[in-house]
Amino acid sequence: MYTSNFNNLILNSDSYKTSHWVQYPAGSEYMSSYVEARKGDYDVVFFGLQAFIKEYLSDPITQQDIDDAETVITAHGLTFNRAGWERLIEKHGGYLPLRIEAVPEGTIVPISNVVCQVVNTDPEFYWLPSYIETALLRAIWYPSTVASVSHYCKGILRQALERSADNMDSLAFRLHDFGARGASSFESVALGSLAHLVNFSGTDSMTALVAASRWYGMDKDMPAFSIPAAEHSTMTAWGRDGETAAFANMLEQFGGTDKAFSVVSDSYDLWNAIDNIWGDALKEDVKNMGGTLVIRPDSGEPVKVVREALERLAVKFGTTTNSKGYKVLPDYVRIIQGDGISAQSLSKIVNAVMDAGFSAENITFGMGGGLLQQVNRDTMSWAMKASAICINGSWKDIYKDPVTSHSKRSKKGRLALIKNASGELETIKADALSENKQSLLRDVFVDGRLLVEDNLTSIRERTGW
């Protein structure tokens, strides 16, 4: 009964899609659908379409796929469009007769604007744009949402550094991805962690490095970096009485000129670790090792813990005052807060740090579940909706407008995205385009071929990296 090909595109859909080909009006020829984020707290950073096309649309549907799909779908209690799928192989060699156009990946688009549009290129396959909705929408909403949240956080950190630091050189490393173990699947890590790298250069998700090479041309350049770091097991293995020795071992193993390493320091008593171990017993070793010790609290209320940790470190190691009037710890000691970080808590922490007179350059953040897992399709209300249909050679607008929820009203017609006279991005009907008003949507995929291939570097540049 079960298919041997886990990536069978015919089965990469919702069950009810299998019966839709007989539900459209007689004479249906073309269907145009679009993708948008309808609402939310973040601008859209569009990302992930190229990965989906390379991974799932580059290989043709095969007869085996059809046979396996029919077995599963009919046993599942549904009708199956065998003739349609076999016709796809006969006419198009199994490649999808679709045109997918989208904004360039990395483009920042205000919510409630079209970012992607799909239409079939062969009238026999009017049912195909809707059939791929499940896979295509998922491929877009998740990495785009992660990229959008990450970009929003970058804005918070940028403003904090502009206000309290002498330079912005470290911005790309201020938010580190800690989300691999908390993500829902291996592919979620690949897509979500990679989406974070659109904005930052720090990650502990090595899967993202593989994904960047596989899908976004980073097979020669390293897109992100990390540093040696302790976990609780490597500290508690020394026992409570051996915590000083455990810390000293970290200095011995990883200290050195221009080196940095992180030590989780709350296994027993963070304040004792700062005041009596780092700031007393090992103080001279920390000062003289030549590198940077990054102390990691990992429990407690983040705003209070970070602020108090900075104040205690300032007492033990001293500070200087930068040109903006904020206190900066010596280069050899910093803090990374990786517990309880979200877009909301991040802002509260950096504000508390600056209110206490410290520069935001004293602290780096690690973000796990808040980055990769605490998002869903409703975070930005993503949807893919049909907006136009061609029946017997005539196009007409179609839409939904539920009286019970006007927020779910969909757009009408074949769409375009333009930059209007005010310089803002705006969705209009494609019929309204002119020589002086060109759509920012570009053809990315047509009839089985990827037409545009971006690398991560160019995508980063579009975000204002």
Side-chain angles (χ1 to χ4, degrees):
M1 171 180 172
Y2 298 106
T3 177
S4 58
N5 178 13
F6 193 70
N7 291 332
N8 187 337
L9 190 67
I10 304 174
L11 294 173
N12 190 358
S13 189
D14 288 313
S15 300
Y16 77 147
K17 294 287 188 182
T18 64
S19 65
H20 289 177
W21 99 95
V22 294
Q23 297 182 30
Y24 293 109
S28 295
E29 297 172 322
Y30 299 95
M31 178 73 73
S32 183
S33 300
Y34 71 97
V35 177
E36 70 169 337
R38 291 175 292 196
K39 59 183 179 180
D41 297 328
Y42 319 110
D43 285 338
V44 174
V45 178
F46 183 69
F47 183 71
L49 178 60
Q50 180 171 298
F52 173 70
I53 291 172
K54 282 190 169 185
E55 194 70 22
Y56 295 105
L57 303 188
S58 296
D59 295 325
I61 300 293
T62 67
Q63 188 63 51
Q64 188 64 54
D65 290 333
I66 295 172
D67 294 341
D68 289 345
E70 182 176 38
T71 300
V72 172
I73 290 169
T74 55
H76 188 43
L78 297 165
T79 183
F80 181 62
N81 186 11
R82 184 179 185 91
W85 290 108
E86 289 187 333
R87 184 69 171 152
L88 187 144
I89 292 178
E90 179 184 344
K91 289 190 71 176
H92 301 284
Y95 291 100
L96 303 188
L98 293 175
R99 176 192 181 198
I100 302 175
E101 55 180 350
V103 295
E105 297 196 30
T107 301
I108 301 171
V109 183
I111 58 170
S112 194
N113 279 292
V114 57
V115 294
C116 180
Q117 191 163 236
V118 187
V119 65
N120 54 299
T121 58
D122 183 330
E124 285 193 50
F125 300 93
Y126 58 87
W127 48 269
L128 193 53
S130 177
Y131 196 92
I132 69 162
E133 175 191 353
T134 306
L136 179 60
L137 180 60
R138 184 178 58 231
I140 290 173
W141 82 252
Y142 176 65
S144 292
T145 300
V146 174
S148 301
V149 171
S150 175
H151 186 262
Y152 178 82
C153 291
K154 191 173 186 178
I156 293 172
L157 293 168
R158 177 184 285 109
Q159 291 179 3
L161 291 174
E162 287 173 345
R163 172 180 160 187
S164 68
D166 284 340
N167 62 70
M168 306 291 291
D169 295 348
S170 64
L171 177 59
F173 293 95
R174 287 291 159 187
L175 186 64
H176 202 83
D177 172 19
F178 281 178
R181 71 187 61 184
S184 58
S185 70
F186 178 81
E187 187 171 82
S188 295
V189 176
L191 290 168
S193 296
L194 182 57
H196 173 66
L197 298 187
V198 171
N199 305 294
F200 289 94
S201 294
T203 187
D204 255 35
S205 297
M206 291 189 287
T207 307
L209 310 179
V210 179
S213 174
R214 182 178 180 87
W215 296 324
Y216 286 93
M218 303 300 285
D219 50 338
K220 295 181 180 178
D221 299 318
M222 176 52 60
F225 303 88
S226 188
I227 60 174
E231 69 173 21
H232 285 108
S233 76
T234 64
M235 298 295 96
T236 59
W238 297 71
R240 186 166 191 147
D241 293 339
E243 189 170 38
T244 299
F247 289 177
N249 180 62
M250 292 295 292
L251 292 171
E252 180 181 350
Q253 296 295 333
F254 303 112
T257 303
D258 298 327
K259 294 182 178 181
F261 59 97
S262 170
V263 183
V264 62
S265 301
D266 75 328
S267 296
Y268 309 107
D269 184 342
L270 175 65
W271 311 131
N272 177 67
I274 291 175
D275 295 343
N276 299 317
I277 302 179
W278 294 124
D280 189 2
L282 299 178
K283 181 176 181 178
E284 293 305 311
D285 295 325
V286 171
K287 291 173 63 175
N288 297 323
M289 67 174 173
T292 301
L293 162 68
V294 185
I295 295 172
R296 178 163 71 92
D298 196 48
S299 54
E301 204 288 307
V303 173
K304 294 179 181 178
V305 169
V306 169
R307 178 170 177 162
E308 184 170 347
L310 286 172
E311 290 170 341
R312 288 173 181 257
L313 287 170
V315 170
K316 290 296 181 178
F317 292 100
T319 62
T320 56
T321 301
N322 65 21
S323 66
K324 302 288 181 66
Y326 288 86
K327 292 180 285 188
V328 182
L329 291 167
D331 290 343
Y332 52 76
V333 63
R334 289 290 185 267
I335 287 178
I336 183 168
Q337 176 65 29
D339 179 58
I341 301 303
S342 66
Q344 293 70 38
S345 67
L346 180 67
S347 180
K348 293 178 182 178
I349 295 168
V350 294
N351 286 333
V353 166
M354 293 186 294
D355 288 346
F358 289 92
S359 170
E361 65 191 282
N362 290 294
I363 182 167
T364 300
F365 296 90
M367 197 169 174
L371 181 66
L372 301 190
Q373 196 66 18
Q374 293 169 16
V375 298
N376 56 48
R377 188 165 71 91
D378 293 333
T379 301
M380 301 179 72
S381 191
W382 285 93
M384 178 172 163
K385 297 298 176 185
S387 57
I389 189 170
C390 181
I391 302 175
N392 294 323
S394 178
W395 279 98
K396 70 173 185 177
D397 298 348
I398 58 177
Y399 64 98
K400 60 179 283 190
D401 188 7
V403 68
T404 50
S405 180
H406 289 300
S407 66
K408 289 193 172 184
R409 179 189 295 121
S410 63
K411 291 176 167 56
K412 305 175 183 179
R414 289 172 289 171
L415 304 174
L417 185 70
I418 63 162
K419 185 173 287 189
N420 63 25
S422 301
E424 299 174 340
L425 297 185
E426 178 185 353
T427 298
I428 64 170
K429 287 189 175 182
D431 295 342
L433 291 172
S434 64
E435 289 185 6
N436 298 323
K437 193 181 291 184
Q438 299 294 313
S439 179
L440 299 177
L441 302 178
R442 62 181 185 179
D443 286 348
V444 178
F445 174 91
V446 176
D447 297 340
R449 293 185 299 118
L450 178 66
L451 302 183
V452 177
E453 187 166 356
D454 269 328
N455 61 38
L456 184 61
T457 300
S458 62
I459 292 170
R460 284 170 161 176
E461 290 171 352
R462 292 190 189 106
T463 68
W465 180 272

